[in-house]
Amino acid sequence: MDLDLRKLRYFVAVAEHRNFGRAAQALYITQPVLSRQIKAFEQELQCTLLVRTTRSVELTAAGERLHEEARTILAAVSTAVRRVHDVERGVQRLAVAFSPGLRVSEAVRAFTSRHPNVEIDLVPALWWEQDAPLRDGRAQVGYLRRPFDDSGLRTLPIGREPRVACMPAAHPLAGRDELTSADLDGERIIDTPVRRTASLEEKFERIAAGSDIALVPLSVARSYSRPDLVHVPVTDAPGIETCLAVLGGGRERLLRDFLAVAASTLRDA
């Protein structure tokens, strides 16, 4: 069975908005047309994707799975189309993914000075799926922070960065110059397996609003610096490895050149 990409995009819009009316507005189509297209999509797939109520739309287990798969599918299609257009226009392009808090700008500047005709795309990598831009084709190289799924990837270690305890400025430990793990015993630590946040913005808002503490990489704490938060080094917390990563088969000349330049620049930084 061929997958209808237009209907897949319609489904993604409904899955993200959880409302047919808002999804139809975002797609610039009418709600009845959208409803018919989703119903036809479910019939083609021979499974129920959505549970509709008078107030909301919820995803079935199959719908949740398709929503996850759809992001990869649509990103890969978009990347393929862009690359075709680049070939038509004679454009050379390199896409670089980067984890939150990591700064690749100096490496990009150094590479661009040697290859001024190469267009660079920067792709933010979500902290819970840092390898996704490499696997779905949005990026050819990633500047990532472990842990991530490195199966099928070639990695080049660049360095390590320390963990710090990020906490409200009014917290009793906020005035300390440094901490140990023992100092954090009994504290409310978020991003443990049972207390996980969906984004860095949510993490720091929760910390600032209460008395929670999070262990984060130093670069992340600096990137989200704000007056109502402080970060204190945790001297016995293991460092976090940073590395460059590419898919196993990625050996194009421009990619090799970027890896060489970035490895030198980022290590120095």
Side-chain angles (χ1 to χ4, degrees):
M1 183 195 74
D2 293 331
L3 188 65
D4 188 324
L5 293 178
R6 178 169 55 88
K7 292 190 181 77
L8 183 63
R9 290 190 177 93
Y10 287 174
F11 163 74
V12 169
V14 176
E16 292 178 350
H17 288 278
R18 301 298 171 105
N19 181 282
F20 273 86
R22 291 194 294 270
Q25 290 179 346
L27 294 166
Y28 299 101
I29 60 176
T30 64
Q31 184 172 333
V33 168
L34 178 58
S35 296
R36 288 196 298 271
Q37 291 295 311
I38 295 297
K39 184 176 181 179
F41 194 39
E42 289 179 314
Q43 291 173 344
E44 291 170 8
L45 293 176
Q46 298 181 348
C47 65
T48 302
L49 302 173
L50 304 168
V51 177
R52 304 157 179 81
T53 69
T54 56
R55 294 186 177 181
S56 65
V57 175
E58 298 297 330
L59 299 180
T60 65
E64 292 280 5
R65 173 51 110 183
L66 182 60
H67 189 209
E68 293 176 8
E69 299 286 350
R71 289 183 299 175
T72 299
I73 294 169
L74 295 177
V77 170
S78 176
T79 298
V81 171
R82 186 193 64 194
R83 288 177 177 171
V84 169
H85 289 164
D86 285 346
V87 171
E88 174 70 18
R89 295 163 47 211
V91 172
Q92 289 184 298
R93 186 186 305 274
L94 188 68
V96 182
F98 61 97
S99 296
L102 296 181
R103 299 182 179 180
V104 73
S105 55
E106 187 172 353
V108 169
R109 288 195 298 270
F111 176 80
T112 300
S113 69
R114 303 184 187 189
H115 301 276
N117 297 322
V118 177
E119 295 189 14
I120 301 292
D121 291 339
L122 297 177
V123 182
L126 300 176
W127 67 270
W128 64 88
E129 51 176 14
Q130 298 178 69
D131 56 306
L134 296 174
R135 300 190 188 280
D136 63 28
R138 283 176 292 155
Q140 292 127 291
V141 58
Y143 181 29
L144 310 180
R145 180 188 296 112
R146 292 192 183 277
F148 58 89
D149 179 10
D150 61 3
S151 59
L153 301 180
R154 288 192 295 121
T155 59
L156 177 63
I158 297 298
R160 302 183 73 85
E161 63 175 317
R163 281 188 174 96
V164 297
C166 184
M167 64 190 71
H171 194 283
L173 296 176
R176 298 275 293 272
D177 292 330
E178 59 184 33
L179 299 168
T180 66
S181 299
D183 295 322
L184 302 177
D185 287 345
E187 297 291 339
R188 288 165 49 90
I189 307 296
I190 58 176
D191 278 350
T192 60
V194 294
R195 302 187 69 235
R196 189 174 298 281
T197 53
S199 67
L200 289 172
E201 290 77 11
E202 179 191 349
K203 183 199 301 285
F204 291 116
E205 280 301 317
R206 283 182 54 178
I207 295 170
S211 57
D212 289 350
I213 292 177
L215 289 176
V216 300
L218 177 59
S219 62
V220 171
R222 287 174 171 169
S223 295
Y224 286 82
S225 176
R226 44 192 284 181
D228 52 354
L229 296 177
V230 299
H231 58 269
V232 182
V234 181
T235 56
D236 59 348
I240 303 173
E241 185 180 74
T242 57
C243 58
L244 295 166
V246 297
L247 282 176
R251 300 183 183 277
E252 299 88 347
R253 180 181 62 83
L254 285 178
L255 186 54
R256 293 200 309 269
D257 288 353
F258 181 84
L259 288 174
V261 170
S264 173
T265 304
L266 295 173
R267 282 200 182 101
D268 291 343

